[in-house]
Protein backbone atom coordinates (compact mmCIF):
# COMPACT_ATOMS: atom_id res chain seq x y z
CA UNK A 1 0.00 0.00 0.00
CA UNK A 2 1.41 3.36 -0.97
CA UNK A 3 1.99 5.91 1.84
CA UNK A 4 -0.53 8.38 0.37
CA UNK A 5 -3.25 5.72 0.34
CA UNK A 6 -2.38 4.73 3.91
CA UNK A 7 -2.70 8.32 5.19
CA UNK A 8 -6.05 8.71 3.39
CA UNK A 9 -7.29 5.50 4.96
CA UNK A 10 -6.19 6.62 8.40
CA UNK A 11 -7.90 9.98 7.89
CA UNK A 12 -11.14 8.29 6.97
CA UNK A 13 -10.91 5.97 9.97
CA UNK A 14 -10.36 8.95 12.28
CA UNK A 15 -13.45 10.59 10.87
CA UNK A 16 -15.71 7.60 11.61
CA UNK A 17 -16.25 8.40 15.32
CA UNK A 18 -17.03 12.03 14.46
CA UNK A 19 -19.57 10.97 11.87
CA UNK A 20 -21.10 8.49 14.30
CA UNK A 21 -21.40 11.19 16.94
CA UNK A 22 -22.99 13.60 14.48
CA UNK A 23 -25.65 11.03 13.64
CA UNK A 24 -26.60 10.48 17.29
CA UNK A 25 -29.93 12.10 18.25
CA UNK A 26 -29.61 15.42 20.05
CA UNK A 27 -31.18 15.90 23.47
CA UNK A 28 -34.85 16.94 23.10
CA UNK A 29 -35.72 20.42 24.39
CA UNK A 30 -39.04 21.16 26.09
CA UNK A 31 -40.39 24.68 25.80
CA UNK A 32 -42.04 25.74 29.08
CA UNK A 33 -44.37 28.72 28.57
CA UNK A 34 -46.07 30.46 31.51
CA UNK A 35 -47.59 33.87 32.17
CA UNK A 36 -46.38 34.00 35.78
CA UNK A 37 -42.99 34.18 37.51
CA UNK A 38 -40.47 31.43 38.23
CA UNK A 39 -40.45 32.38 41.93
CA UNK A 40 -44.22 31.94 42.34
CA UNK A 41 -44.39 28.75 40.28
CA UNK A 42 -41.29 27.04 41.67
CA UNK A 43 -43.29 24.30 43.50
CA UNK A 44 -45.28 23.57 40.34
CA UNK A 45 -42.16 23.39 38.18
CA UNK A 46 -40.92 20.75 40.64
CA UNK A 47 -44.20 18.86 40.18
CA UNK A 48 -43.84 19.12 36.38
CA UNK A 49 -40.31 17.69 36.60
CA UNK A 50 -41.63 14.86 38.79
CA UNK A 51 -44.15 13.95 36.08
CA UNK A 52 -41.36 14.02 33.50
CA UNK A 53 -39.27 11.73 35.70
CA UNK A 54 -42.15 9.28 35.97
CA UNK A 55 -42.21 9.18 32.16
CA UNK A 56 -38.49 8.41 32.09
CA UNK A 57 -37.04 11.88 31.44
CA UNK A 58 -34.64 13.82 33.65
CA UNK A 59 -33.90 17.50 33.12
CA UNK A 60 -30.31 17.99 31.89
CA UNK A 61 -29.98 14.21 31.77
CA UNK A 62 -31.88 13.07 28.70
CA UNK A 63 -33.90 16.25 28.06
CA UNK A 64 -33.48 20.00 28.43
CA UNK A 65 -36.00 22.76 29.23
CA UNK A 66 -36.20 26.26 27.78
CA UNK A 67 -38.25 28.38 30.19
CA UNK A 68 -40.18 31.43 29.04
CA UNK A 69 -41.93 33.50 31.75
CA UNK A 70 -44.16 36.49 30.95
CA UNK A 71 -44.11 37.69 34.61
CA UNK A 72 -47.69 38.94 34.40
CA UNK A 73 -47.15 40.78 31.10
CA UNK A 74 -49.59 38.71 29.07
CA UNK A 75 -49.02 40.71 25.88
CA UNK A 76 -45.49 39.27 25.73
CA UNK A 77 -46.67 35.67 25.52
CA UNK A 78 -47.05 35.59 21.69
CA UNK A 79 -43.42 36.65 21.19
CA UNK A 80 -42.23 34.20 23.85
CA UNK A 81 -44.15 31.40 22.14
CA UNK A 82 -42.60 32.38 18.80
CA UNK A 83 -39.14 32.18 20.41
CA UNK A 84 -39.79 28.60 21.46
CA UNK A 85 -40.99 27.66 17.99
CA UNK A 86 -37.87 29.22 16.46
CA UNK A 87 -35.74 27.18 18.86
CA UNK A 88 -37.34 24.08 17.31
CA UNK A 89 -38.31 22.65 20.68
CA UNK A 90 -39.68 19.09 20.66
CA UNK A 91 -42.83 20.08 22.57
CA UNK A 92 -44.28 23.18 24.24
CA UNK A 93 -45.73 22.79 27.75
CA UNK A 94 -47.99 25.84 28.06
CA UNK A 95 -49.75 26.74 31.31
CA UNK A 96 -52.67 29.16 31.58
CA UNK A 97 -55.21 29.94 28.89
CA UNK A 98 -53.37 32.98 27.52
CA UNK A 99 -50.09 31.10 27.21
CA UNK A 100 -51.86 28.15 25.58
CA UNK A 101 -53.62 30.35 23.02
CA UNK A 102 -50.31 32.11 22.26
CA UNK A 103 -48.61 28.76 21.68
CA UNK A 104 -51.43 27.55 19.44
CA UNK A 105 -51.29 30.76 17.40
CA UNK A 106 -47.51 30.40 17.02
CA UNK A 107 -47.50 26.87 15.58
CA UNK A 108 -49.76 24.26 14.02
CA UNK A 109 -47.05 21.59 13.94
CA UNK A 110 -45.01 21.69 17.17
CA UNK A 111 -46.73 19.48 19.79
CA UNK A 112 -48.40 21.42 22.62
CA UNK A 113 -49.32 19.98 26.01
CA UNK A 114 -51.55 22.50 27.77
CA UNK A 115 -52.69 23.07 31.34
CA UNK A 116 -55.53 25.56 31.46
CA UNK A 117 -58.99 26.52 32.59
CA UNK A 118 -61.87 26.53 30.11
CA UNK A 119 -63.28 24.38 27.35
CA UNK A 120 -60.56 23.58 24.77
CA UNK A 121 -63.15 22.48 22.20
CA UNK A 122 -65.01 25.76 22.41
CA UNK A 123 -61.73 27.66 22.22
CA UNK A 124 -60.79 25.80 19.04
CA UNK A 125 -57.73 24.12 20.53
CA UNK A 126 -58.96 20.56 19.93
CA UNK A 127 -61.68 18.84 17.91
CA UNK A 128 -62.83 16.72 20.83
CA UNK A 129 -61.85 15.58 24.31
CA UNK A 130 -61.28 11.94 23.35
CA UNK A 131 -59.62 12.57 19.97
CA UNK A 132 -58.07 16.06 19.96
CA UNK A 133 -57.09 15.67 16.32
CA UNK A 134 -54.44 18.38 16.09
CA UNK A 135 -51.09 19.33 17.61
CA UNK A 136 -52.46 20.04 21.11
CA UNK A 137 -53.77 18.10 24.09
CA UNK A 138 -53.39 18.31 27.84
CA UNK A 139 -55.28 18.95 31.07
CA UNK A 140 -58.19 21.34 31.54
CA UNK A 141 -60.36 22.61 34.38
CA UNK A 142 -63.79 24.07 33.61
CA UNK A 143 -63.41 27.43 35.37
CA UNK A 144 -67.07 28.52 35.21
CA UNK A 145 -68.11 25.38 37.05
CA UNK A 146 -65.53 26.11 39.76
CA UNK A 147 -66.56 29.77 40.11
CA UNK A 148 -70.18 28.75 40.59
CA UNK A 149 -69.27 26.04 43.09
CA UNK A 150 -67.32 28.61 45.14
CA UNK A 151 -70.38 30.86 45.17
CA UNK A 152 -72.52 27.93 46.36
CA UNK A 153 -70.04 27.18 49.11
CA UNK A 154 -70.09 30.80 50.31
CA UNK A 155 -73.88 30.80 50.25
CA UNK A 156 -74.14 27.48 52.09
CA UNK A 157 -71.28 28.09 54.54
CA UNK A 158 -72.46 31.44 55.91
CA UNK A 159 -75.85 32.10 57.46
CA UNK A 160 -75.95 35.54 55.85
CA UNK A 161 -74.56 35.63 52.32
CA UNK A 162 -77.25 37.35 50.29
CA UNK A 163 -74.73 39.90 49.00
CA UNK A 164 -71.54 38.55 47.43
CA UNK A 165 -68.80 40.57 45.75
CA UNK A 166 -66.50 39.12 43.09
CA UNK A 167 -62.94 40.43 42.78
CA UNK A 168 -61.42 39.95 39.32
CA UNK A 169 -58.51 41.27 37.25
CA UNK A 170 -59.86 43.12 34.16
CA UNK A 171 -56.42 42.95 32.52
CA UNK A 172 -56.54 39.18 32.25
CA UNK A 173 -57.60 38.16 28.71
CA UNK A 174 -61.33 37.36 28.40
CA UNK A 175 -61.90 38.36 32.04
CA UNK A 176 -64.96 40.47 31.15
CA UNK A 177 -66.49 37.55 29.24
CA UNK A 178 -65.86 35.24 32.17
CA UNK A 179 -67.53 37.64 34.59
CA UNK A 180 -70.60 37.95 32.36
CA UNK A 181 -70.83 34.16 32.33
CA UNK A 182 -70.61 34.09 36.13
CA UNK A 183 -73.28 36.76 36.52
CA UNK A 184 -75.62 35.01 34.11
CA UNK A 185 -75.19 31.60 35.70
CA UNK A 186 -75.42 32.91 39.29
CA UNK A 187 -78.70 34.85 38.94
CA UNK A 188 -80.81 32.17 40.62
CA UNK A 189 -78.13 31.36 43.18
CA UNK A 190 -77.16 34.72 44.69
CA UNK A 191 -79.57 37.53 45.50
CA UNK A 192 -77.05 40.36 45.05
CA UNK A 193 -73.85 39.75 43.07
CA UNK A 194 -71.49 42.68 42.45
CA UNK A 195 -68.42 42.53 40.21
CA UNK A 196 -65.38 44.51 41.39
CA UNK A 197 -62.32 45.00 39.11
CA UNK A 198 -58.75 45.30 40.39
CA UNK A 199 -55.86 45.21 37.94
CA UNK A 200 -52.90 46.15 40.14
CA UNK A 201 -51.76 46.52 43.75
CA UNK A 202 -53.33 49.96 44.20
CA UNK A 203 -56.66 48.93 42.72
CA UNK A 204 -56.80 45.96 45.08
CA UNK A 205 -56.54 48.43 48.00
CA UNK A 206 -59.24 50.61 46.44
CA UNK A 207 -61.57 47.64 45.94
CA UNK A 208 -61.46 46.72 49.62
CA UNK A 209 -61.96 50.37 50.58
CA UNK A 210 -65.20 50.26 48.57
CA UNK A 211 -66.32 47.25 50.59
CA UNK A 212 -66.38 49.50 53.67
CA UNK A 213 -68.98 51.71 51.99
CA UNK A 214 -71.02 48.93 50.41
CA UNK A 215 -70.28 46.01 52.63
CA UNK A 216 -70.85 42.59 51.00
CA UNK A 217 -71.69 39.57 53.14
CA UNK A 218 -68.89 37.62 51.44
CA UNK A 219 -66.25 37.83 48.72
CA UNK A 220 -65.17 35.51 45.90
CA UNK A 221 -61.60 36.13 44.70
CA UNK A 222 -61.34 34.57 41.24
CA UNK A 223 -58.25 32.66 40.15
CA UNK A 224 -55.66 34.94 38.57
CA UNK A 225 -51.83 35.11 38.49
CA UNK A 226 -51.93 38.71 39.79
CA UNK A 227 -53.98 37.73 42.84
CA UNK A 228 -51.73 34.73 43.45
CA UNK A 229 -48.73 37.06 43.49
CA UNK A 230 -50.58 39.50 45.82
CA UNK A 231 -51.89 36.75 48.12
CA UNK A 232 -50.62 38.21 51.40
CA UNK A 233 -51.96 41.66 50.55
CA UNK A 234 -55.44 40.32 49.73
CA UNK A 235 -55.66 38.06 52.78
CA UNK A 236 -54.55 40.94 55.04
CA UNK A 237 -57.12 43.32 53.50
CA UNK A 238 -59.91 40.77 53.90
CA UNK A 239 -59.00 40.48 57.60
CA UNK A 240 -58.68 44.25 58.09
CA UNK A 241 -62.04 44.95 56.46
CA UNK A 242 -63.65 41.85 58.04
CA UNK A 243 -64.79 40.38 54.72
CA UNK A 244 -65.29 36.58 54.67
CA UNK A 245 -63.69 35.39 51.42
CA UNK A 246 -63.19 32.23 49.39
CA UNK A 247 -60.18 31.68 47.14
CA UNK A 248 -59.09 29.17 44.52
CA UNK A 249 -55.90 27.88 46.17
CA UNK A 250 -55.11 26.18 49.45
CA UNK A 251 -52.19 28.52 50.20
CA UNK A 252 -54.67 31.40 50.62
CA UNK A 253 -56.46 29.53 53.43
CA UNK A 254 -53.13 28.54 55.00
CA UNK A 255 -52.07 32.21 54.88
CA UNK A 256 -55.20 33.23 56.83
CA UNK A 257 -57.98 33.30 54.23
CA UNK A 258 -61.35 31.94 55.35
CA UNK A 259 -61.87 29.25 52.71
CA UNK A 260 -60.40 27.86 49.51
CA UNK A 261 -61.85 25.52 46.93
CA UNK A 262 -59.98 24.45 43.86
CA UNK A 263 -57.59 22.10 42.20
CA UNK A 264 -54.43 20.58 43.51
CA UNK A 265 -52.08 22.52 41.24
CA UNK A 266 -49.10 20.33 42.00
CA UNK A 267 -51.02 17.29 40.78
CA UNK A 268 -52.06 19.13 37.60
CA UNK A 269 -48.47 20.09 36.80
CA UNK A 270 -47.32 16.53 37.52
CA UNK A 271 -49.86 15.25 35.00
CA UNK A 272 -48.72 17.85 32.47
CA UNK A 273 -45.14 16.67 32.93
CA UNK A 274 -46.16 13.05 32.44
CA UNK A 275 -48.10 13.91 29.26
CA UNK A 276 -45.12 15.89 27.96
CA UNK A 277 -42.99 12.80 28.53
CA UNK A 278 -45.39 10.74 26.40
CA UNK A 279 -44.84 13.16 23.51
CA UNK A 280 -41.06 12.88 23.90
CA UNK A 281 -41.53 9.10 23.65
CA UNK A 282 -43.31 9.51 20.32
CA UNK A 283 -47.02 9.90 21.14
CA UNK A 284 -48.98 12.40 19.06
CA UNK A 285 -51.16 14.98 20.88
CA UNK A 286 -53.90 14.17 18.36
CA UNK A 287 -54.19 10.73 19.98
CA UNK A 288 -53.89 11.77 23.65
CA UNK A 289 -57.31 12.40 25.26
CA UNK A 290 -57.76 15.74 27.02
CA UNK A 291 -57.79 15.09 30.78
CA UNK A 292 -60.41 16.78 32.97
CA UNK A 293 -59.76 17.05 36.68
CA UNK A 294 -62.65 15.69 38.75
CA UNK A 295 -61.23 16.04 42.27
CA UNK A 296 -61.13 19.35 44.09
CA UNK A 297 -60.20 20.26 47.65
CA UNK A 298 -62.08 22.42 50.16
CA UNK A 299 -59.99 23.98 52.94
CA UNK A 300 -61.57 25.94 55.81
CA UNK A 301 -59.66 28.08 58.30
CA UNK A 302 -61.66 28.04 61.55
CA UNK A 303 -59.15 30.36 63.25
CA UNK A 304 -60.02 33.02 60.67
CA UNK A 305 -63.75 32.30 61.05
CA UNK A 306 -63.44 32.96 64.79
CA UNK A 307 -61.59 36.25 64.22
CA UNK A 308 -64.21 37.35 61.67
CA UNK A 309 -67.04 36.31 64.00
CA UNK A 310 -68.68 34.03 61.43
CA UNK A 311 -69.91 30.48 61.87
CA UNK A 312 -69.38 27.94 59.13
CA UNK A 313 -72.36 25.63 58.70
CA UNK A 314 -71.93 22.05 59.86
CA UNK A 315 -72.96 20.80 56.41
CA UNK A 316 -70.05 22.56 54.72
CA UNK A 317 -67.61 21.63 57.50
CA UNK A 318 -68.54 17.98 57.07
CA UNK A 319 -67.38 17.93 53.43
CA UNK A 320 -64.14 19.89 53.96
CA UNK A 321 -60.94 18.11 52.93
CA UNK A 322 -58.94 20.07 55.49
CA UNK A 323 -59.90 22.19 58.52
CA UNK A 324 -57.32 24.56 60.00
CA UNK A 325 -57.96 25.05 63.72
Amino acid sequence: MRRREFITLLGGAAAWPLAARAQQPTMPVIGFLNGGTPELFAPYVDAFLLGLNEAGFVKDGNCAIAYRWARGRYDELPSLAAELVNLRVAVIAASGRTAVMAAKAATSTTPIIFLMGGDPVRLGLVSGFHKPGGNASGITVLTLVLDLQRLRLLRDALASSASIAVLFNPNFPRAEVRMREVQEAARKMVQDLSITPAGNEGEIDQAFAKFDRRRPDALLVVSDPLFNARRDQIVALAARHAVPAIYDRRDFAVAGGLMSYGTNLSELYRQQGAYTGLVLKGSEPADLPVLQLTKFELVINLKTAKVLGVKISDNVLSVADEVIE
Side-chain angles (χ1 to χ4, degrees):
M1 183 182 295
R2 284 196 286 256
R3 183 172 181 273
R4 187 184 195 85
E5 292 173 346
F6 182 70
I7 293 173
T8 303
L9 182 60
L10 279 178
W16 291 342
L18 293 175
R21 286 198 296 272
Q23 290 171 4
Q24 290 178 353
T26 57
M27 184 183 295
V29 178
I30 300 164
F32 190 94
L33 184 64
N34 191 293
T37 66
E39 296 81 13
L40 184 64
F41 281 84
Y44 310 122
V45 170
D46 290 342
F48 178 85
L49 295 178
L50 176 61
L52 267 181
N53 292 350
E54 292 170 357
F57 292 92
V58 178
K59 177 191 171 188
D60 298 331
N62 57 353
C63 70
I65 301 181
Y67 294 100
R68 293 296 182 273
W69 301 93
R71 299 179 178 273
R73 298 184 290 270
Y74 304 120
D75 58 336
E76 294 184 6
L77 284 165
S79 62
L80 294 176
E83 283 183 22
L84 293 175
V85 173
N86 290 334
L87 283 175
R88 300 185 182 278
V89 297
V91 54
I92 297 176
S95 308
R97 183 186 297 186
T98 314
V100 173
M101 299 305 290
K104 184 63 176 175
T107 178
S108 60
T109 55
T110 303
I112 298 168
I113 296 298
F114 57 72
L115 172 54
M116 56 172 283
D119 185 340
V121 177
R122 198 171 111 188
L123 292 170
L125 291 168
V126 298
S127 299
F129 279 83
H130 297 295
K131 293 287 288 184
N135 67 317
S137 186
I139 303 97
T140 187
V141 180
L142 301 180
T143 50
L144 178 59
V145 174
L146 275 176
D147 285 334
L148 296 179
Q149 184 59 19
R150 292 186 189 106
L151 288 174
R152 288 191 189 94
L153 284 167
L154 276 178
R155 181 196 63 187
D156 297 342
L158 306 175
S160 175
S161 56
S163 171
I164 297 179
V166 179
L167 187 70
F168 82 104
N169 177 10
N171 299 325
F172 193 81
R174 295 190 80 256
E176 302 283 355
V177 174
R178 179 178 174 185
M179 288 304 99
R180 284 198 297 270
E181 291 175 343
V182 169
Q183 284 181 302
E184 182 67 27
R187 280 181 179 175
K188 295 181 180 179
M189 187 193 316
V190 180
Q191 183 178 333
D192 179 15
L193 187 72
S194 59
I195 306 297
T196 305
N200 54 50
E201 180 181 351
E203 290 178 359
I204 292 172
D205 286 331
Q206 294 168 18
F208 277 90
K210 291 177 184 176
F211 295 154
D212 274 344
R213 298 191 294 273
R214 186 179 183 276
R215 180 169 293 278
D217 297 321
L219 170 67
L220 163 63
V221 179
V222 304
S223 58
D224 187 273
L226 168 67
F227 297 156
N228 295 339
R230 305 304 308 171
R231 179 197 64 197
D232 293 341
Q233 175 193 5
I234 293 172
V235 169
L237 286 168
R240 186 186 312 160
H241 295 275
V243 181
I246 189 169
Y247 309 89
D248 70 311
R249 291 174 25 167
R250 176 182 178 275
D251 58 334
F252 279 87
V254 172
L258 179 63
M259 301 167 60
S260 69
Y261 180 77
T263 59
N264 183 323
L265 273 181
S266 292
E267 175 60 17
L268 289 179
Y269 275 90
R270 186 195 67 78
Q271 290 182 338
Q272 186 190 28
Y275 245 33
T276 301
L278 289 180
V279 172
L280 293 183
K281 285 182 174 180
S283 296
E284 295 290 338
D287 301 321
L288 294 175
V290 176
L291 302 178
Q292 293 184 76
L293 192 71
T294 57
K295 174 144 179 39
F296 307 98
E297 55 183 7
L298 170 63
V299 181
I300 298 173
N301 191 322
L302 285 184
K303 292 191 295 186
T304 299
K306 184 176 181 180
V307 170
L308 292 174
V310 298
K311 184 180 186 311
I312 306 295
S313 74
D314 291 337
N315 286 340
V316 173
L317 275 175
S318 67
V319 298
D321 297 280
E322 181 181 354
V323 176
I324 301 171
E325 298 186 81

